[in-house]
Amino acid sequence: DAINFPAENIETSLPRRIQDKNRVLLLHCQSGVRSSVASKRLQNLGYVNAFNLGSYRRAAQLVSDK
């Protein structure tokens, strides 16, 4: 159920698509920098379960539990 949101549009695009501010949102990007910024922006919008997994590689390791 992954959805790609460009970091520069996250504050306008994501709230239209995901209204439930309690939904768990797992964010990642190539290096982890943009996903960190995006998670802070989402938390400022009231998304209480927006988590930065870091880089794509780290996110893949966390999800696969290796």
Side-chain angles (χ1 to χ4, degrees):
D1 293 333
I3 304 170
N4 181 24
F5 287 103
E8 61 271 6
N9 299 344
I10 198 131
E11 293 166 319
T12 56
S13 299
L14 190 132
R16 281 188 246 148
R17 187 93 182 253
I18 301 173
Q19 291 84 29
D20 180 3
K21 293 190 176 186
N22 291 309
R23 186 169 177 182
V24 174
L25 303 173
L26 304 176
L27 308 169
H28 67 80
C29 66
Q30 185 174 352
S31 68
V33 175
R34 287 171 291 158
S35 56
S36 175
V37 171
S39 69
K40 289 174 186 167
R41 288 179 177 174
L42 291 174
Q43 289 170 359
N44 287 338
L45 290 173
Y47 289 88
V48 294
N49 293 309
F51 301 100
N52 177 23
L53 299 181
S55 68
Y56 175 78
R57 182 178 178 173
R58 182 171 183 268
Q61 289 172 339
L62 290 171
V63 173
S64 68
D65 196 29
K66 292 183 180 177

